[in-house]
Structure formats: structure tokens, C-alpha cells
Amino acid sequence: MQIFKGLCSETKCLLESGLFKNRPLFLEKISSRPCHSATPVFSSEEQEAFPFAASYSATPVLSSEEQDVFPLAARVVKSLDGQVISKMSFRNAVKVHGFPYSIDTFRVFVHVFASVGMEREVYSLLFNVVSYYQAFDLDMFELFPFLLGGKPPHPEISIAVFDVLMKVFAANSLFESGLHVFYQTKKLGLTPSIRSCNFLLKCLIGKSKADSARMLFEDLKTHGPSPNVYTYSIMMNLYCRGQNVDISQATDILEDMKKSGESPSVTTYSTYINGLCRGGFLDIALGIVREMECRKHPLNSYCYNPVISAFCQQGRLCEALEVFEGMENNGISPDHHSFGILLDGFCKQGDVENSFHLVRKMLVSGVKLNIVNYSSLLTGLCKAGLHDFSLKLFRGLSASGYKHDMISYNTLVNEFCMIGDMDSASKLLEEMIHYGYVPDSFTFGSVIRGCCEVGLLGKAKELFNVMKTVGLLPGVFVWNVIVDRICKEGDLEQALKLIYEMQDQGILPNSRTYHAIIKRLCDEKMSEKALALISFMVKFGSLHINCFNTMINGLVKQSLPREAWKACKGMLGLGISLDIVTYTVLIKLFCRTNEMEKAWFLFAGMKKRGLMPDVVTYTTMMAGYRKMGDMVRCNALADEMRRRM
């Protein structure tokens, strides 16, 4: 244990000797000293604490005075070997020599390596110590004063040490400790580097510590170090790329930046443009791009891509293409993402001609298509009704060595299901399983829906059971598809059993689930059971106006006006407002019973509530008046309908 004594008293001598101020000169002095490679540098005790020591023998021989004072520290210091530092274990040192002596030694190493600008080695040492503090739940706040050693700080070296300590804390998400170092450093009259502050700021934002990030940023603006372009860009990122885009704050950042004398970089602008597009300010974003083009301000693809993407999402493909071509005209080569955005936009609209024109341009530009681009093409071909060609492309890619992913399979499976080609969809599903892909809920849901739509209920039930067997719990959408098909085939008992099974598995039926059953009950003229089911839905909060409308329509078809009107009143009593469908159904009821005054009362009432009658409502009223022989009112409604439609 005696080998560590004297380290604290010698630290200042080492740092103030001037030996490390000129690193090249220092290394030259070290290399000129005699060295005996056969002599082991580290004792057996030291090797136990520092496992790297056994293979580390080619270091300078120390004087007897040095050996008495701090042999291990002197040997590491005089070698300045970064690899040695990276292998040092603070935990092992503590086990062998105890905590006080080990922390003293590491402090010497930290200050010495900081004095010659070896930041990576300082980081490794401090990371070692901080990890130990974390593992044993020690007070991180003790590290700052300890690194000072109870003496007035050496400005350059202390700043270098505290900068790295701040980074270590930030990288380990120890933000409270990192901010503590920042404020304590300034309390000593020292100024941390803006580089380290930026790193802390970026880590805070990366871990969603927005309030702390804002507090740090405001302190930098008020008390320094002054934010630079990277600081402002980091804050811009906070307001433009997070879940909640705040364009007002992002604009303030841009204005503050200009006032401070910092010129926004292309990264700053690209982040701001992305935020504008995500926030729904596409026209403003485009205006900024055009202004930057006019001013010959540096631009890159990251400035254009968000604008292209926003136009594509809105279905404005012509404008997206115009921005894309503008980028090329300004000498900026579209990147893979630029091509991919536009290609996907054309494909989603089934614009095969422009899609393949873009593919040719990609190949000429040396941009290789990836599996995502090919998936877009498969979608585009299907949207254009070219399903066979899409399947040929899929097979051709496989023959060329392309390994399709889940996206490609899901794309084709879903598209073939939508046109009712269940043979092709089933074959693709089997192929997926053969190649080791486990179909997900989306895949199963697509095939089950397709089977139900073409009347293959048996196949749908089989896949439904397979889905549950492989551990995929069907979502409410899949259950609804099955229930709807069963109801259409008239098996109400089986449909009700499925609803109870849903509830047993923790899935709450929604209004669509019940709607299918209510419709079937009304078709079967079982209105009482439909009303009982409505009461059940009210109890579980699954009620939707569509269910009421279906039931009221069923009662009207059965010529049960009183029950229909009673259901309507019950609907209003539950706080559910009548919609156009409800009004039209009730108007149809009164027109059928020649009660045109009541029909007109409802017709006028819906307009007062701001509900515009549609063609069905108008024609229902006109048919009622024509039936009563009142052609004046019938023609008046016809003229009104023509004016409004």
C-alpha cells in the first residue's frame, strides 16, 4: 500500500514543472532515457491491480528517488501510453490498494494527461471512476471537489478535466451531475468549452430532457460561454424533430442566432425546413428554399427532401417533381432518399410511367434500388391494376438473388387480397412461411379479410385459428371481419359466441362488432333482440350512432314507426345527436305514412342544425310530395337541390 503515498503532494510539482507543456519535447526526453526491457516495470502487486502490466515492460527506468515516491504513477505518466490507460481498472485498483490511494493515483493520471491534451485518455480514466461510483451508488457530486484536490485550480488543466467529466456524465445520462459540473466550473471563475456544453445539451435533448436543455441554453446565452452555430442547431433540432414540433420556438432560435452574429449553417436551415414541413407550413418551407437558391446560400438534399416528402404526402406529385428537378438544376445531386420519396409517391398513385422514368434516372445516376424501392414499385404496379406484372417483377428479383423482406411479401399479399385473388395471396403466404418469415397480424388480417369478402369463411376461420395457435392475438379488426362474415351467412348464434370469446381474451368489442349483429337482427326482423343488444352496448360504452341508425332503419323497413321514434328518443336521451342518416331514415318513415308535415318539420330542423340534406334526403322528400300530388313543393325542392348540389 505504500507505493501510493506521496501522490497528492507531488501532483502539483508534476504539473507545474513545465515538463508537459511541450508534449513533443517531453516525449523526446522520455525516449532519450535509458531503458531496460528485460526488467519488469510493474511489481506483482501492481500487476494484480492492473492486468495489462504483465506485458508492459519496455518503459523508462526510474531513479531511486522516483521509485520511493510514486513508482506506478511515474511509470504510467512517463510512458504516456494511451493503450495502457484504456486497460486500467479502477475497481481492481481499489480491491488491491483501497479507495483513497486509488482515487489519488487516478487523479494524478487525469491531470497529467489533461495537461498534454490527451483527452481520450482522460475520458477513459474518468469513465472508469464514474462507472465505479455508479456501481456502488456513491455521491457523484464528490468527484468535482476531489479533482480540484483542495487547491486553487490550474485554469487550463482544470477546464480540460471538467470538460471531459461533463462529457462522461452526459454520455452516461447522469445529467444532474453533468449540470453540477457546468455550474461549479463557472463558480470557480472558469469557463467550460462550448464544445462540451454542446455535447451535454445534445445528450439532454436526446433523452427528452427538454426543460433542462432550455435552462442550460438560456444560461449559455446569458452568462456564457456564448452559443455557437452548433448550439443553435442543437436547439433547432429540439423544436423541429421532436414529437411536438414548435415552429414558433424554432423561428425564435433562428432570429436569436442572427442577432448574435452567428450565421445559420445549411444544417440549421435543413432542420428548420424539416420542422416547417412537419408542422404543416409547407409553403413557407418552399419559400425559404427558393430564397436560399436566389441568395446562392449553400443547400443540400436535406433541405429539399422534407419539401418533396410533404408534397408527396399531400398527393401533390407535380409540385414534388418540380422541387426535385429544381434541386438538380441547382447542382445538387438527389440522394437515395430523394429518389425513394418521389418514387414512393408516384407508386402510391399508381403512376407507373413516372415511376419507371424515375427508376431509369436512378440507374443512370448510379443510385442502386434497394428492397424498399422495389416494394414501392410492386405497390405501384398493383395500384395500376398490373398485378400479374407485379408478381413477375417479384419473381424476377428473386431469381436475380434479391431476398425479399416482410414488407415486399405483405405488399403483394394485401394487394392480391384486395382484388379477391386468394389463390395468389395464399401461395405467397405459404412461400413466406417456407422462407422462414413468420406472418404478422397484418398479413393474417389481410388474408382473413380477403377470404371473408369472397365468401371463403371456412378458410378464414382456419387462418384465424392458426393465428391464435402461433401466439398472435387477433386484433379487434380481425374479429370484426369474422363476425361480419358469419352474420352475413346468417349464423347469429356463432357470431354472439365470438363476442363472448373476444371478451374472455381481453378484447373489447367495438361498435363495428355490434353493428354487424344488429344489422343481421334487423334483417331477420328480430328488433327486440337488436334493442336488447343496444342496451348492452350502452352499458359497456361501445355505442355508436351507426348502430342506432341501422336499428332505426330496420324498424322503418318493418313498418314499426312507433318503435323507430322511440329508439330515436332513446338516442337523444343518451346525448347522441342525430346525423344526416338518422334524419333521412325518419323522413322516409313519415313520407311512407303520408305524414308530410312531420317529414317537413324534420327536414327544416336538420338545416337549422347546420346539417345539409344530401341527394337521398332531397329525393325522399320529393317522392313524398309527388305521392301526395303536391308538385309545387316537389319542384321547389328539385330547384333547391340543383342550386346546392
Side-chain angles (χ1 to χ4, degrees):
M1 303 286 280
Q2 299 298 315
I3 62 171
F4 288 93
K5 287 185 176 179
L7 285 179
C8 296
S9 62
E10 298 299 330
T11 303
K12 190 175 180 183
C13 296
L14 275 170
L15 299 178
E16 294 180 352
S17 64
L19 185 61
F20 306 114
K21 290 180 180 178
N22 189 330
R23 185 181 177 193
L25 178 61
F26 171 71
L27 294 175
E28 185 181 339
K29 287 181 180 181
I30 290 297
S31 63
S32 66
R33 296 188 63 171
C35 184
H36 302 279
S37 60
T39 305
V41 174
F42 297 94
S43 67
S44 59
E45 186 183 27
E46 291 162 0
Q47 289 176 17
E48 185 180 351
F50 304 98
F52 63 86
S55 61
Y56 195 81
S57 57
T59 54
V61 174
L62 306 172
S63 66
S64 58
E65 182 181 355
E66 288 169 329
Q67 291 173 4
D68 290 338
V69 181
F70 44 97
L72 178 58
R75 290 169 192 176
V76 173
V77 166
K78 289 180 182 295
S79 71
L80 285 182
D81 191 327
Q83 290 185 349
V84 174
I85 292 297
S86 67
K87 295 176 184 176
M88 294 181 75
S89 168
F90 183 71
R91 183 176 294 196
N92 287 345
V94 172
K95 284 181 182 177
V96 176
H97 303 293
F99 182 82
Y101 296 120
S102 300
I103 194 72
D104 275 343
T105 306
F106 270 66
R107 181 175 63 185
V108 172
F109 293 161
V110 164
H111 280 268
V112 169
F113 280 94
S115 70
V116 290
M118 296 178 70
E119 186 178 314
R120 186 179 298 174
E121 287 69 25
V122 175
Y123 187 96
S124 178
L125 288 163
L126 289 176
F127 180 82
N128 231 309
V129 176
V130 168
S131 296
Y132 180 87
Y133 267 64
Q134 272 189 296
F136 292 92
D137 197 25
L138 301 179
D139 187 359
M140 294 289 183
F141 288 178
E142 290 180 354
L143 272 178
F144 185 88
F146 188 82
L147 288 171
L148 279 174
K151 300 177 181 180
H154 184 290
E156 292 182 10
I157 298 173
S158 294
I159 289 173
V161 172
F162 297 146
D163 276 344
V164 175
L165 182 60
M166 193 159 39
K167 286 183 178 179
V168 171
F169 282 140
N172 285 277
S173 299
L174 298 167
F175 299 120
E176 190 176 350
S177 299
L179 289 167
H180 176 75
V181 172
F182 171 77
Y183 289 114
Q184 290 301 312
T185 303
K186 297 175 76 173
K187 217 172 190 179
L188 292 169
L190 304 175
T191 304
S193 73
I194 190 62
R195 189 160 153 255
S196 295
C197 296
N198 286 345
F199 184 78
L200 176 58
L201 191 66
K202 186 175 181 180
C203 290
L204 284 166
I205 292 171
K207 292 294 182 178
S208 301
K209 303 289 183 181
D211 290 340
S212 296
R214 291 187 190 98
M215 180 182 69
L216 176 59
F217 179 65
E218 289 303 320
D219 195 278
L220 291 173
K221 287 199 299 179
T222 307
H223 302 110
S226 297
N228 60 15
V229 63
Y230 301 106
T231 320
Y232 285 108
S233 295
I234 291 167
M235 290 304 294
M236 182 70 77
N237 194 60
L238 168 65
Y239 297 118
C240 292
R241 295 188 186 275
Q243 290 184 347
N244 300 313
V245 174
D246 191 335
I247 291 303
S248 176
Q249 291 282 4
T251 304
D252 288 344
I253 291 291
L254 197 63
E255 293 301 319
D256 285 349
M257 191 176 187
K258 292 175 181 177
K259 288 176 185 176
S260 71
E262 291 286 347
S263 298
S265 67
V266 66
T267 302
T268 316
Y269 274 119
S270 65
T271 306
Y272 185 54
I273 289 166
N274 182 61
L276 285 167
C277 291
R278 292 184 61 213
F281 300 95
L282 176 54
D283 293 336
I284 296 174
L286 180 61
I288 289 174
V289 170
R290 296 301 184 220
E291 184 182 347
M292 291 173 73
E293 288 173 343
C294 293
R295 288 165 42 202
K296 305 298 181 185
H297 191 286
L299 285 158
N300 59 21
S301 60
Y302 296 103
C303 297
Y304 287 95
N305 289 347
V307 180
I308 296 170
S309 179
F311 275 128
C312 288
Q313 288 171 14
Q314 294 182 14
R316 299 160 67 180
L317 273 299
C318 291
E319 287 151 293
L321 182 59
E322 186 180 330
V323 174
F324 182 88
E325 291 172 346
M327 175 168 57
E328 292 180 303
N329 294 336
N330 278 281
I332 298 167
S333 299
D335 58 18
H336 196 285
H337 190 48
S338 312
F339 279 109
I341 296 167
L342 195 55
L343 178 62
D344 190 59
F346 283 129
C347 289
K348 282 179 177 176
Q349 289 198 356
D351 190 341
V352 174
E353 184 178 348
N354 274 316
S355 296
F356 279 93
H357 174 73
L358 201 60
V359 167
R360 285 192 291 272
K361 185 175 281 192
M362 287 176 74
L363 297 174
V364 170
S365 302
V367 179
K368 291 185 178 180
L369 278 76
N370 60 24
I371 197 65
V372 176
N373 303 138
Y374 282 120
S375 293
S376 294
L377 283 174
L378 295 174
T379 300
L381 289 166
C382 290
K383 293 285 184 188
L386 303 171
H387 291 76
D388 291 342
F389 193 83
S390 179
L391 191 57
K392 285 180 182 178
L393 175 62
F394 183 85
R395 299 296 181 209
L397 289 170
S398 299
S400 301
Y402 257 94
K403 187 178 179 181
H404 293 291
D405 60 4
M406 281 286 290
I407 297 174
S408 300
Y409 277 107
N410 280 344
T411 297
L412 280 184
V413 168
N414 185 56
E415 291 294 341
F416 277 110
C417 286
M418 287 179 73
I419 62 168
D421 187 350
M422 300 313 300
D423 287 338
S424 296
S426 298
K427 286 177 183 176
L428 285 165
L429 184 63
E430 291 171 7
E431 188 178 312
M432 283 177 70
I433 298 168
H434 174 75
Y435 284 114
Y437 291 111
V438 179
D440 57 16
S441 298
F442 176 81
T443 319
F444 274 113
S446 295
V447 180
I448 290 170
R449 181 194 63 199
C451 288
C452 286
E453 286 179 353
V454 298
L456 299 174
L457 182 57
K459 179 70 173 176
K461 284 182 177 179
E462 181 185 334
L463 287 169
F464 184 74
N465 291 327
V466 169
M467 193 176 179
K468 292 188 285 184
T469 303
V470 299
L472 286 172
L473 186 64
V476 68
F477 165 77
V478 179
W479 288 89
N480 287 349
V481 166
I482 294 284
V483 169
D484 184 66
R485 188 68 229 176
I486 290 173
C487 286
K488 284 178 180 176
E489 298 200 359
D491 194 345
L492 283 169
E493 186 178 347
Q494 180 64 24
L496 289 168
K497 281 182 180 178
L498 273 179
I499 286 182
Y500 294 129
E501 188 180 338
M502 285 176 73
Q503 292 171 328
D504 289 341
Q505 295 191 19
I507 299 173
L508 292 175
N510 59 20
S511 61
R512 285 184 62 86
T513 322
Y514 292 115
H515 182 265
I517 298 176
I518 289 171
K519 187 175 187 305
R520 188 66 197 181
L521 286 168
C522 290
D523 290 343
E524 296 281 341
K525 297 185 178 180
M526 301 168 70
S527 303
E528 290 183 5
K529 287 187 176 181
L531 285 166
L533 192 55
I534 287 282
S535 301
F536 182 81
M537 292 172 69
V538 170
K539 182 180 177 182
F540 286 94
S542 302
L543 195 60
H544 190 275
I545 191 169
N546 287 345
C547 298
F548 258 119
N549 288 341
T550 299
M551 187 183 67
I552 292 169
N553 191 47
L555 292 169
V556 169
K557 285 181 178 178
Q558 294 174 52
S559 299
L560 297 171
R562 289 183 180 178
E563 287 79 357
W565 191 245
K566 184 180 177 181
C568 181
K569 285 183 177 179
M571 183 175 166
L572 292 169
L574 290 168
I576 302 174
S577 299
L578 308 186
D579 64 5
I580 293 176
V581 175
T582 324
Y583 274 109
T584 303
V585 169
L586 291 172
I587 288 169
K588 185 186 295 183
L589 167 65
F590 291 122
C591 288
R592 181 179 294 178
T593 56
N594 299 327
E595 298 177 86
M596 293 308 297
E597 287 186 9
K598 291 181 179 179
W600 178 258
F601 175 79
L602 287 170
F603 184 78
M606 68 184 294
K607 289 195 287 184
K608 283 182 181 178
R609 285 192 54 228
L611 294 173
M612 278 296 298
D614 59 13
V615 174
V616 177
T617 317
Y618 272 110
T619 53
T620 301
M621 285 292 294
M622 288 158 60
Y625 281 121
R626 189 182 297 111
K627 182 181 174 184
M628 296 291 292
D630 192 344
M631 295 307 298
V632 174
R633 290 196 175 185
C634 177
N635 293 332
L637 283 172
D639 292 338
E640 182 181 317
M641 182 178 70
R642 279 193 290 270
R643 287 196 305 272
R644 293 191 173 185
M645 297 296 166

